[in-house]
Amino acid sequence: MITGTLEKYSRDEAKKLIEDSGGKVSGSVSKKTDYVVAGDDPGSKLDKARGLGVKVVGEKELEELLKG
């Protein structure tokens, strides 16, 4: 799940990077969500993720995860 505005990537670019690395990107947050990538002005989805205990990462952490 991606929320907010990312600095380096458009949402489509970030989604492609995640999918190319074997991940799935959903449009909503649930208990089954592993990570939420949060950029600037993330909105209510970030609050929901935190409420569910979902790990929230930024762009740097996303890049580290994708490197393996």
Side-chain angles (χ1 to χ4, degrees), residues 36-56:
V36 169
V37 179
D40 292 334
D41 299 320
S44 63
K45 290 180 181 177
L46 177 61
D47 295 332
K48 183 173 182 181
R50 287 182 175 152
L52 292 171
V54 175
K55 183 167 176 72
V56 178

Side-chain angles (χ1 to χ4, degrees), residues 18-59:
I18 293 166
E19 290 174 343
D20 287 350
S21 294
K24 281 178 60 176
V25 178
S26 71
S28 60
V29 183
S30 73
K31 289 182 182 181
K32 294 182 180 183
T33 303
D34 292 317
Y35 298 99
V36 169
V37 179
D40 292 334
D41 299 320
S44 63
K45 290 180 181 177
L46 177 61
D47 295 332
K48 183 173 182 181
R50 287 182 175 152
L52 292 171
V54 175
K55 183 167 176 72
V56 178
V57 299
E59 282 182 80

